[in-house]
Amino acid sequence: MTEPVRLSVIYYSSTGTNYEIARTIAEAAEKAGAEVRLRKVHELAPEEAIASNQGWAQHAAATQDVIEADKDDMTWADAVIFGSPTRFGNVAAQLKQFLDTLGGLWAQGLLADKVYSGFTSTSTRHGGQESTLLALYTTIHHFGGIVVAPGYTDPAKFADGNPYGTSHVDGNGENPVDDVTRAAARVQAQRVVRIAAALKAGR
């Protein structure tokens, strides 16, 4: 009997949008039969910066029990889905810092041949969602990873409109994660698990 796909969902979220997407992906992947680790990356911002933003401080307190990602979460996984808000059309420094710690694993070839995908959010529409995911996937290409984007493979993807990954416009916290984004996240999770399972079965 084939072992279940092992999926790490590794994200950064300041005020909770990407955390909600990450949770939706993790839940959908588990329903699809995967063994899932939900992990946040280490916060780099100083305490005074977090405390100055009520939403940020509340989210930090609410998710203090979420385990921080480490290198074992990468080597353990058959598939990894990364999530980050957009920062000037690129991934947030917190996720980038985690990626930059993986050089040793990369040098040993331990990040290659895994399935990878990504999700993001922005404050404004067209605020860098696609460029953020493409920038993330540049790193995956260097890993020798297999990018599995959702594409327009399901009607839900025509509603959210992003073939590169799940994305959400949060309007500076005014637009909570909605059914459109959650449906897209579920499609992405199911597709990643399905492709990873096929690859794993063929090894």
Side-chain angles (χ1 to χ4, degrees):
M1 183 175 177
T2 304
E3 293 182 355
V5 167
R6 295 178 297 189
L7 170 67
S8 288
V9 181
I10 299 175
Y11 73 94
Y12 174 68
S13 186
S14 54
T15 58
T17 298
N18 286 279
Y19 170 64
E20 288 299 322
I21 299 171
R23 283 183 56 198
T24 301
I25 286 174
E27 291 167 2
E30 286 182 341
K31 288 181 180 178
E35 182 179 351
V36 179
R37 291 183 181 181
L38 178 64
R39 300 289 189 262
K40 66 183 179 183
V41 296
H42 182 67
E43 179 61 82
L44 302 178
E47 288 294 333
E48 56 268 26
I50 298 171
S52 70
N53 181 312
Q54 183 178 11
W56 196 354
Q58 289 176 342
H59 178 66
T63 57
Q64 59 184 336
D65 293 333
V66 177
I67 299 170
E68 288 192 356
D70 64 22
K71 295 175 184 178
D72 179 66
D73 297 314
M74 297 295 299
T75 56
W76 169 84
D78 301 306
V80 181
I81 302 179
F82 290 114
S84 170
T86 290
R87 295 291 185 265
F88 303 111
N90 210 320
V91 298
Q94 290 85 345
L95 180 62
K96 184 61 166 63
Q97 193 273 341
F98 175 75
L99 295 173
D100 287 349
T101 70
L102 303 177
L105 299 183
W106 163 80
Q108 298 175 67
L110 297 177
L111 303 178
D113 303 330
K114 298 176 185 289
V115 166
Y116 295 89
S117 201
F119 61 93
T120 191
S121 66
T122 55
S123 293
T124 59
R125 192 171 300 279
H126 309 301
Q129 294 178 348
E130 293 181 357
S131 64
T132 296
L133 292 172
L134 290 171
L136 172 64
Y137 295 158
T138 297
T139 298
I140 304 313
H141 293 314
H142 281 255
F143 287 173
I146 301 163
V147 174
V148 175
Y152 291 112
T153 58
D154 185 277
K157 291 305 299 174
F158 289 90
D160 106 306
N162 190 341
Y164 301 98
T166 301
S167 58
H168 182 73
V169 180
D170 75 357
N172 289 314
E174 296 299 317
N175 304 322
V177 176
D178 57 14
D179 290 343
V180 170
T181 300
R182 292 188 192 279
R186 294 184 188 106
V187 167
Q188 184 171 12
Q190 292 162 0
R191 181 170 167 80
V192 166
V193 172
R194 184 172 68 253
I195 300 301
L199 289 170
K200 189 169 184 175
R203 287 178 182 169

